[in-house]
Amino acid sequence: MRFLLVLLILVLPELALASGFESLKLTGTERGIYTVIIFVIAYGFVMAEEFTGMKKSKPVILAAGIIWAHAAVLATSAGVSTEALHEAFEYNLKEYAELMLFLLVAMTYINAMAERNVFEALRSWMVRKQFGYRKLFWITGIITFFLSSVADNLTSALLVGAVVLAVGANNAKFVSIGFVNLVVAANAGGAFCPFGDITTLMVWQAGYAEFFDFFKLFIPSVVNYVVPAAFMYFAVPDEQPDASDEAAVVLKPGAIQVCVLFFLTIASAVSFKQFLHLPPFMGMMVGMSVLMLYGFRITTLYRADENNQFDIFNQVRDAEWDTLLFFFGVVFAVGGLGYIGYLELLSAAMYDGLGFTTANILVGIISAIVDNIPVMFAVLNMSLDMDLYQWLLVTLTAGVGGSMLSIGSAAGVALMGQSQHKYTFFSHLKWTPVIAAGYAASIFTHYLVNG
């Protein structure tokens, strides 16, 4: 990706920004090239997060500020009015605000369900059932696949990863294969529902596909998971894990009701978009208000029992703020580069030069190395004239392409940290060929089903 950007700077002509306003067309200037270098350096720190320990949001927010400062100087030197500069800047602010509020509500609900012991009870049940390793391989994968369609792939992978780690504590081979299985399942499950992955959500909110259109990706997503899982299954130890004496986890009061409210909130978001033609985040905020009111009721009923009280603002506090702020940095950094003119260069090289299908397949391969959020945001801001089939294709590839490497998705990076060195970059790399086969099979299936 880095080399591609440098190549674009050197050899491609300057084009016009396709986001409703004109780009500065100053990609060949020293200051413009400097902004690309800043972005590359910042993203280098993001990719090295596992080794440096520095949260990924920190470098990209700094990069976003520097890039827009240079864009403002370039705009002034080009005689662009302050109003036109603000229009370009506020376009990115609107994009971020809508997605941030949507994600904040989703994360709050996930945290609320975790606090009410919903996920812990599920984990405890699976551990106590004493499934064999091979049966557990399929059970954990399938649960992760469907769970990640409503929760994010990171939460799903970590939750079910705790089960794999608990039952496979004395079997490093099962943990290693089981975690690869979870990464593939989490990414595949998030591709067919707008609530499953940020990139899918971005496509939905941008209006390139309706909510129910994404379910056309269900069968390709299943294929993407099943193909590598079928190969990995034969490497799973055909053994029984040690017996567990773990006690059942009891749900806290209101746990089931919070789950029901979450699904009603999803319905509210879809209704606001489909029937009222309003941004779906407004429906999510309505759902947040209902959760606040229900939380107040729980606190009132259990005022004397501190263990069962519920404070919604604790769940807001515990949202994945690093992810939300990283998303801020990505939106404004990529948006700033787009305003200078670089997204058109990328569009010309990939989509005009290679064609929609090849370029969209390449997007998935790139997302195995570079996080799929900036890649998809760049694609969306190219304002490409693609039909629904192609938008679903890029949604699929961007969502599942990260499975090919352990560093290609948040789920893989998080599980490497959780695995106690049983799951590593190289243990995942061993299965990359079969995961790539699943990637190719899912694209072919999409062509057969939706082409």
Side-chain angles (χ1 to χ4, degrees):
M1 183 66 172
R2 300 177 187 181
F3 297 114
L4 179 60
L5 284 172
V6 174
L7 179 64
L8 294 173
I9 294 167
L10 296 175
V11 303
L12 291 177
E14 293 169 337
L15 305 170
L17 187 65
S19 300
F21 45 83
E22 290 294 316
S23 74
L24 298 177
K25 304 178 184 178
L26 296 173
T27 55
T29 62
E30 180 179 342
R31 195 177 289 273
I33 294 173
Y34 177 66
T35 61
V36 175
I37 295 173
I38 289 295
F39 181 76
V40 170
I41 293 173
Y43 218 84
F45 280 103
V46 171
M47 296 176 69
E49 178 186 8
E50 180 190 359
F51 308 103
T52 64
M54 183 169 68
K55 298 293 186 182
K56 60 183 179 291
S57 59
K58 298 177 181 179
V60 290
I61 292 176
L62 178 60
I66 294 173
I67 289 170
W68 270 102
H70 282 281
V73 172
L74 286 170
T76 301
S77 66
V80 175
S81 67
T82 301
E83 290 77 14
L85 173 64
H86 285 182
E87 180 186 353
F89 186 83
E90 289 167 4
Y91 169 82
N92 293 281
L93 180 61
K94 173 180 174 293
E95 291 292 306
Y96 173 70
E98 290 186 9
L99 286 162
M100 181 266 189
L101 290 172
F102 189 105
L103 291 170
L104 180 62
V105 177
M107 290 175 178
T108 301
Y109 261 101
I110 294 299
N111 289 341
M113 288 188 283
E115 191 274 339
R116 294 287 98 180
N117 286 345
V118 172
F119 299 132
E120 188 63 17
L122 176 62
R123 184 201 65 79
S124 174
W125 176 81
M126 284 192 287
V127 169
R128 289 182 290 106
K129 290 297 289 184
Q130 291 297 292
F131 297 111
Y133 286 131
R134 288 194 164 183
K135 185 176 289 187
L136 194 65
F137 174 85
W138 285 114
I139 291 173
T140 55
I142 292 170
I143 288 176
T144 303
F145 180 87
F146 285 102
L147 183 61
S148 66
S149 67
V150 290
D152 63 279
N153 59 1
L154 175 61
T155 300
S156 305
L158 286 176
L159 164 68
V160 187
V163 178
V164 172
L165 200 59
V167 299
N170 299 320
N171 195 314
K173 184 177 181 180
F174 170 71
V175 173
S176 176
I177 299 174
F179 275 19
V180 177
N181 183 48
L182 296 187
V183 171
V184 177
N187 291 330
F192 71 88
C193 178
F195 290 83
D197 191 88
I198 293 177
T199 55
T200 316
L201 175 62
M202 290 162 69
V203 175
W204 179 43
Q205 291 215 138
Y208 290 111
E210 297 298 331
F211 181 81
F212 294 103
D213 287 335
F214 291 98
F215 291 95
K216 295 178 180 179
L217 293 176
F218 176 75
I219 295 177
S221 296
V222 170
V223 170
N224 180 268
Y225 165 62
V226 170
V227 169
F231 283 98
M232 289 188 287
Y233 170 78
F234 294 102
V236 176
D238 189 11
E239 302 170 9
Q240 192 76 17
D242 296 336
S244 172
D245 57 356
E246 179 175 326
V249 173
V250 179
L251 294 173
K252 290 186 177 181
I256 302 299
Q257 290 86 339
V258 169
C259 293
V260 172
L261 288 178
F262 180 50
F263 286 103
L264 291 177
T265 297
I266 292 175
S268 174
V270 174
S271 299
F272 267 72
K273 181 76 163 58
Q274 298 293 119
F275 305 118
L276 301 178
H277 308 293
L278 291 172
F281 81 86
M282 197 64 224
M284 295 294 285
M285 293 302 291
V286 171
M288 170 84 102
S289 69
V290 176
L291 180 62
M292 289 177 167
L293 294 172
Y294 185 69
F296 177 75
R297 181 176 184 276
I298 293 176
T299 300
T300 302
L301 290 175
Y302 296 93
R303 194 178 300 278
D305 185 357
E306 288 189 5
N307 291 328
N308 286 321
Q309 288 186 9
F310 182 85
D311 187 348
I312 184 64
F313 293 105
N314 286 341
Q315 317 315 318
V316 175
R317 178 199 63 198
D318 294 337
E320 296 171 31
W321 284 100
D322 178 51
T323 297
L324 293 173
L325 293 175
F326 167 71
F327 192 45
F328 168 87
V330 164
V331 167
F332 279 89
V334 173
L337 292 174
Y339 184 51
I340 295 171
Y342 288 108
L343 291 187
E344 294 86 329
L345 302 184
L346 193 58
S347 175
M350 290 180 60
Y351 287 92
D352 295 343
L354 301 174
F356 289 146
T357 299
T358 303
N360 287 332
I361 293 172
L362 182 60
V363 164
I365 297 172
I366 292 173
S367 69
I369 305 169
V370 181
D371 192 279
N372 59 4
I373 294 175
V375 174
M376 180 58 83
F377 188 73
V379 170
L380 290 171
N381 279 272
M382 293 172 189
S383 293
L384 301 166
D385 185 20
M386 297 195 298
D387 58 19
L388 178 62
Y389 171 82
Q390 292 293 346
W391 279 113
L392 291 179
L393 175 61
V394 74
T395 300
L396 175 68
T397 57
V400 304
S403 299
M404 287 186 276
L405 295 176
S406 63
I407 60 171
S409 66
V413 172
L415 287 178
M416 282 193 292
Q418 186 188 42
S419 70
Q420 301 169 6
H421 305 292
K422 294 183 177 73
Y423 167 68
T424 65
F425 175 85
F426 292 102
S427 67
H428 188 109
L429 188 65
K430 182 173 68 173
W431 295 104
T432 294
V434 298
I435 298 172
Y439 179 74
S442 65
I443 294 170
F444 183 63
T445 304
H446 175 54
Y447 170 75
L448 293 177
V449 174
N450 302 314

